[in-house]
Amino acid sequence: MTIPVPEPEAFNLLGPLPQGTTVLEASAGTGKTFTIAGLVARYVAEGVATMDEQLVVSFSRESTRELRERVRERLVSARDGLVDPAAVPPDDEVLAYLAGADPATVALRRRRLEEALTVFDAATVTTT
């Protein structure tokens, strides 16, 4: 008798933000770093958590270095992309999601991203 093993569900980057501790585990090259960077940008932009309230951890020094760089790049691209929400590239789902609010909310999201970038060097992106 063969027992079917269900396929793991794809993580929905635009779905409800996870609460509490979240572990993202997947094989190399599956988009973990991309997903983490997008989640950090959403947490910050939506006012759920500031940079100093987040702990982002990876398992090697090299992956941590890349993760720190990619999270910073995502915060910058989100902040800059919210200057003109009409010019958001259609393939950037996270930015389109963040830009798809009323102008006052978009301005507040951009301000939160700017604030996160001013303290980013002190952010806890570390290695276990």
Side-chain angles (χ1 to χ4, degrees), residues 8-116:
E9 289 184 36
F11 185 82
N12 181 1
L13 189 53
L14 303 179
L17 288 169
Q19 300 296 308
T21 302
T22 301
V23 176
L24 184 60
E25 180 183 12
S27 301
T30 56
K32 292 180 301 295
T33 303
F34 174 84
T35 300
I36 292 168
L39 284 173
V40 170
R42 281 196 57 206
Y43 276 105
V44 168
E46 293 181 37
V48 175
T50 60
M51 283 308 300
D52 65 330
E53 295 172 331
Q54 298 184 65
L55 171 65
V56 182
V57 180
S58 191
F59 292 98
S60 72
R61 287 189 175 113
E62 182 59 34
S63 64
T64 299
R65 199 171 10 263
E66 179 182 350
L67 182 58
R68 175 176 281 281
E69 184 177 299
R70 298 262 305 272
V71 167
R72 186 178 193 297
E73 288 171 358
R74 176 79 272 202
L75 293 173
V76 168
S77 68
R79 176 203 62 194
D80 294 350
L82 293 180
V83 170
D84 181 8
V88 170
D91 62 335
D92 190 336
E93 293 178 325
V94 172
L95 185 53
Y97 176 85
L98 293 174
D102 63 87
T105 300
V106 171
L108 179 58
R109 289 175 174 174
R110 186 172 193 284
R111 190 167 40 256
R112 288 177 182 142
L113 291 162
E114 183 65 44
E115 290 169 6

